[in-house]
Amino acid sequence: MTRRLLAEYLGTFFLVFAGCGSQVVAGRFPEVDIGILEVALAFGLAVLTMTYALGHVSGAHFNPAVSVGLWSGGMFPGREIAPYAAAQLAGAVTGSAVLFVVASGKAGFNVAAGFAANGYGAHSPGGYSMGAALVSETVLTFFFVAAILGSRHNRAPAGFDGIASGLALTLVHLVGIPITNTSVNPARATGPAVFVGGWALAQLWLFWAAPITGAFLAGKVSTWLSGGD
């Protein structure tokens, strides 16, 4: 279990550092002004690479919602959700801390600018409401977790789950970034929010409630579609 939790910690660390870093650092670099597509790819590639690097150790969840979805789909024991989530949260906060140190090395850095935090209303990149954020995060998490569950089913081709996970995360980011900056991952949402504080912490509830709900439903629906096996 110690090795598995360390793998979850490291994978979530890299997901947050690389994914959020693509917005906080590269996204503001004048000569390389990356946009939604590049940020989406950064998150997707982080999950894809870490799945193949660490999946054989921990199963490559890197996300409390994924752990809940796998449990709901009968692929993960419920007693291990809490320790996995704790490791994932620790990784996300540490990844955000390292990103904060790096970003602070540039004159003019201001964490109040957002620090890749998730938000709705006035803090939504596109000005979307709380209702829109709640629906989008639930739906996007549902399909993201459904892709993971399907790719790991015993009737699915072996060895492609990392590709499916990475591409699915890239796709949901393409849709979700304008709405909420895309969470679909309570740990990813928590890491930056700790450093932004204020509004980011006040809105964090949505980025736990919606992904967990979407993931739970994905587990149940996927199990039913596959005939319960």
Side-chain angles (χ1 to χ4, degrees), residues 39-50:
V39 172
L41 282 170
F43 277 100
L45 289 171
V47 164
L48 187 154
T49 54
M50 288 300 100

Side-chain angles (χ1 to χ4, degrees), residues 109-153:
F109 169 71
N110 181 9
V111 71
F115 199 55
N118 301 115
Y120 55 82
H123 304 289
S124 158
Y128 288 84
S129 68
M130 180 183 72
L134 188 64
V135 171
S136 67
E137 285 288 326
T138 302
V139 171
L140 292 174
T141 306
F142 175 92
F143 284 103
F144 171 53
V145 174
I148 293 174
L149 289 164
S151 67
R152 299 184 183 190
H153 193 275

